């Protein structure tokens, strides 16, 4: 594989991976690497709090907790720009669209993870933050309209 088109950097929720140059759509960018664990060992690792387990099929799970596994730094997003495919027990990440330099590379961890680990209302991906900001703006607008109406009523009463 060519030198990595991304670098490790500070993201909103810890470390993340950021494109250092434009990356074309459907380009393979990384592999999720680590020892393969059988079901028994994977369950043990999970019980110990390992959050970097990647289940590749009903028999094998990749333990990606080593820092050398760069793919462990992809953060979750509800609007991801990379996805993965599993080929003969190996996990490869590829881009879903053209990526601009500086853009963070993000991956959808799956709805179970979102619900159980992150918590749906706690997600800090850019889409969720944008939605929250929009909701806050709408609420402010509603409040504002109410205030304006109340003020008009007062004026009518005073007149
Ligand atoms: Zn989100």
């Amino acid at each position: 594989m060519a030198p990595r088109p991304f670098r490790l950097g500070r993201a909103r929720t810890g470390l993340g991976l950021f494109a250092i140059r434009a990356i074309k759509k459907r380009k393979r960018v990384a592999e999720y690497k680590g020892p393969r664990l059988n079901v028994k060992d994977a369950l043990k690792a999970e019980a110990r709090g390992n959050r970097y387990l990647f289940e590749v099929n009903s028999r094998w799970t990749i333990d990606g907790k080593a820092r050398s596994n760069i793919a462990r730094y992809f953060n979750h997003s509800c609007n991801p720009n990379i996805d993965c495919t599993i080929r003969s027990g190996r996990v490869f990440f590829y881009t879903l669209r053209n990526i601009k330099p500086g853009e963070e590379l993000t991956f959808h961890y799956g709805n179970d993870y979102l619900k159980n680990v992150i918590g749906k209302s706690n997600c800090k991906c850019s889409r969720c933050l944008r939605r929250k900001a929009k909701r806050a703006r709408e609420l402010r607008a509603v409040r504002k309209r109410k205030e304006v109406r109340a003020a008009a009523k007062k004026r009518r009463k005073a007149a």
Side-chain angles (χ1 to χ4, degrees):
M1 237 183 277
R4 285 189 203 122
F6 52 80
R7 64 170 180 84
L8 194 60
R10 198 142 287 288
R12 216 175 276 123
T13 51
L15 293 171
L17 297 172
F18 297 84
I20 48 177
R21 55 173 178 269
I23 311 171
K24 281 231 157 28
K25 185 178 172 177
R26 301 209 69 81
K27 258 249 182 295
R28 184 184 284 185
V29 286
E31 180 178 356
Y32 202 85
K33 284 186 168 167
R36 278 146 65 95
L37 307 180
N38 61 28
V39 174
K40 209 176 102 215
D41 290 338
L43 286 173
K44 259 195 249 165
E46 194 178 9
R48 281 196 305 267
N50 187 332
R51 285 161 49 231
Y52 298 99
L53 299 169
F54 201 118
E55 196 178 313
V56 289
N57 56 38
S58 58
R59 291 178 57 203
W60 298 105
T61 293
I62 295 174
D63 176 4
K65 74 165 186 281
R67 282 172 204 280
S68 58
N69 172 35
I70 193 77
R72 66 171 251 176
Y73 294 105
F74 288 127
N75 282 318
H76 165 84
S77 172
C78 300
N79 180 26
N81 53 17
I82 62 170
D83 199 2
C84 68
T85 79
I86 299 170
R87 292 242 173 85
S88 4
R90 294 170 71 186
V91 181
F92 298 103
F93 292 87
Y94 62 92
T95 53
L96 288 169
R97 45 186 163 82
N98 291 332
I99 296 188
K100 293 191 216 69
E103 225 183 301
E104 184 176 1
L105 298 175
T106 54
F107 171 64
H108 199 301
Y109 287 9
N111 286 324
D112 282 348
Y113 191 95
L114 183 59
K115 224 167 69 197
N116 303 324
V117 183
I118 301 177
K120 260 201 164 136
S121 54
N122 289 330
C123 185
K124 291 188 173 55
C125 81
S126 52
R127 172 179 276 181
C128 288
L129 288 179
R130 242 190 343 266
R131 277 190 184 154
K132 267 177 216 157
K134 189 170 171 233
R135 253 200 313 275
R137 265 200 315 278
E138 282 164 1
L139 281 176
R140 273 199 302 277
V142 167
R143 260 203 313 272
K144 183 96 202 192
R145 278 198 297 276
K146 270 189 192 154
E147 275 165 27
V148 168
R149 268 201 304 273
K153 212 170 161 188
K154 234 189 222 164
R155 272 200 304 277
R156 275 200 306 274
K157 265 190 185 160

